[in-house]
Amino acid sequence: MHIHRRTLITVATGAVVAASLGLPAIARAADIKIGFLLKTMEEERYQRDKAVFIKKAEELGAEVIFDAANNDEQTQLAKFENMISKGAQVIVMQPVNTGTAGSMVSMANAEGVKVVGYDSMLVNGPLDAMVMQDSWAVGKLQGEAMVEWLKARNGGEVKGKVALIMGQPGDSNAIAMSSGALEIISANPGLELVAEQAHEGWSSEKAMATTENVLTKYANKVDAFICNNSGMARGVIAALNAQQLASADKVFVAGSDADLVNIQFVAQGKQAVEIWKKIEPLAETAATVAVDLAREPDKPAADVIKVDRMVNNGQVDVPTIVTPVVLVTKDNVEQTVIEGGFYTKEQVYGG
């Protein structure tokens, strides 16, 4: 009983101190609730996003309400509303549909809840802040790696048939990654773009079907596949494997997300490159931004966080923090994802 009384006295004292300093009640760490809403947990990488984000937020004294939307925008809306009803002061959201999620931000803001975009920039909504990797740079890295691969194979000449395997139709991340790759493709007149196909739900199976159709149409004479994520790259590899073409010596395949299977494919020589979008800085930064905004709810985000750039999303200039991306090849697997602690040597190579 005596311990319980001391605890109450401590809490009460903290409240008095906060009041005397003019701090809002929300500033006390124990009161901070942060929502973290991902579009899916189907991709391997999102287990890591979830774990890193929650760990960092809890270290900063916040409670995390986590959920995912199974790539369904109506499901995401319901879960978003639930986070507001549970008292989240800031929601960090990776939108299922970047074109329609703006209305959720408006709804949250009307309730005094701030929204931080995660990974995919939603458009036409009053987003408070954004934490993302440079998706355009991802596509550009993939395209540049393809050009070097073609030069090595063709005696310095950049020529060949290229298929662009895109993610969710209309998704801003898919559009940005694809635009980075398309810039490289259009700058090299010897390249022929034979497919530029979006895939609902970033589906590996649908990417596999697209690859099968393209290989059939061009009698297996397709030189490169640039994919917006790791899962679709696995679909491409599966289709190539059925034609005995799953080799980085025969066909260039680029993925993005650095899922373990894809990194193993790179190490084995089945896949040419992956893009390692470092999860730790992305998730940790997002958690830190969310907690900082919750602690200073009356200030604009640009006055609270250190901003890399302002990005216009069609409605507002969004204070944006950009985290790094890294090209992974067979030659640098150990120096990147292994030395970086993303995977162990045993995970990548077995044994």
Side-chain angles (χ1 to χ4, degrees):
M1 192 69 187
H2 178 63
I3 293 173
H4 180 61
R5 184 168 177 270
R6 284 183 62 189
T7 302
L8 290 174
I9 291 170
T10 300
V11 172
T13 303
V16 170
V17 170
S20 69
L21 292 174
L23 297 175
I26 198 172
R28 298 196 302 276
D31 292 338
I32 295 175
K33 281 188 180 180
I34 304 299
F36 187 36
L37 181 54
L38 292 175
K39 64 183 179 182
T40 182
M41 288 300 286
E42 292 175 7
E43 299 291 333
E44 174 191 307
R45 62 157 281 196
Y46 292 124
Q47 297 292 341
R48 194 179 297 259
D49 290 73
K50 176 185 176 182
V52 172
F53 183 97
I54 291 174
K55 182 174 183 288
K56 184 63 176 179
E58 289 180 347
E59 285 175 357
L60 295 171
E63 175 188 342
V64 178
I65 307 166
F66 175 81
D67 220 325
N70 198 30
N71 274 324
D72 183 274
E73 59 184 296
Q74 291 305 314
T75 298
Q76 187 162 61
L77 173 60
K79 292 179 182 297
F80 187 86
E81 290 174 333
N82 187 49
M83 287 181 175
I84 294 175
S85 70
K86 286 183 174 180
Q89 292 128 359
V90 179
I91 297 176
V92 178
M93 177 175 66
Q94 180 193 40
V96 170
N97 188 328
T98 56
T100 61
S103 60
M104 287 193 278
V105 181
S106 298
M107 175 181 66
N109 287 173
E111 297 288 333
V113 177
K114 292 189 175 181
V115 180
V116 177
Y118 187 80
D119 194 38
S120 300
M121 173 75 81
L122 61 84
V123 297
N124 300 323
L127 198 61
D128 293 286
M130 182 75 207
V131 181
M132 63 187 288
Q133 288 125 349
D134 190 337
S135 295
W136 179 85
V138 170
K140 185 169 183 283
L141 273 176
Q142 291 174 316
E144 289 171 343
M146 175 190 66
V147 166
E148 293 306 310
W149 184 90
L150 288 167
K151 283 180 178 178
R153 196 182 71 163
N154 299 325
E157 191 174 359
V158 182
K159 63 178 182 179
K161 292 179 171 62
V162 182
L164 182 57
I165 307 299
M166 301 170 64
Q168 178 77 18
D171 183 271
S172 62
N173 245 12
I175 291 168
M177 281 187 277
S178 299
S179 67
L182 286 168
E183 180 171 306
I184 301 299
I185 293 168
S186 62
N188 290 276
L191 298 178
E192 178 185 357
L193 187 63
V194 296
E196 185 180 350
Q197 180 66 48
H199 298 85
E200 194 79 32
W202 303 75
S203 169
S204 177
E205 291 77 14
K206 290 176 182 175
M208 179 178 174
T210 295
T211 305
E212 290 169 343
N213 292 337
V214 172
L215 290 174
T216 298
K217 182 175 181 179
Y218 292 95
N220 286 351
K221 303 296 184 184
V222 181
D223 301 280
F225 291 83
I226 295 179
C227 309
N228 285 170
N229 79 348
S230 292
M232 293 188 301
R234 291 195 295 276
V236 171
I237 294 289
L240 290 171
N241 193 57
Q243 302 298 320
Q244 289 79 51
L245 292 172
S247 167
D249 293 330
K250 296 178 180 179
V251 179
F252 176 92
V253 179
S256 172
D257 281 340
D259 285 357
L260 178 57
V261 171
N262 297 77
I263 294 298
Q264 290 169 339
F265 284 165
V266 170
Q268 294 161 6
K270 288 184 178 180
Q271 182 176 324
V273 302
E274 263 287 318
I275 304 297
W276 176 27
K277 300 189 288 187
K278 295 185 177 184
I279 303 304
E280 280 76 6
L282 181 73
E284 287 183 352
T285 300
T288 302
V289 166
V291 172
D292 287 347
L293 293 181
R295 284 183 174 144
E296 301 194 68
D298 299 325
K299 290 186 178 181
D303 293 342
V304 177
I305 62 176
K306 185 177 179 181
V307 176
D308 291 324
R309 67 184 73 158
M310 301 297 285
V311 178
N312 190 280
N313 75 343
Q315 182 169 335
V316 295
D317 289 328
V318 183
T320 300
I321 299 173
V322 180
T323 61
V325 296
V326 178
L327 182 73
V328 181
T329 68
K330 187 175 182 179
D331 293 335
N332 75 359
V333 167
E334 292 199 28
Q335 291 75 37
T336 54
V337 292
I338 294 175
E339 287 187 7
F342 200 63
Y343 297 120
T344 66
K345 195 168 185 177
E346 290 71 26
Q347 284 177 303
V348 174
Y349 295 104

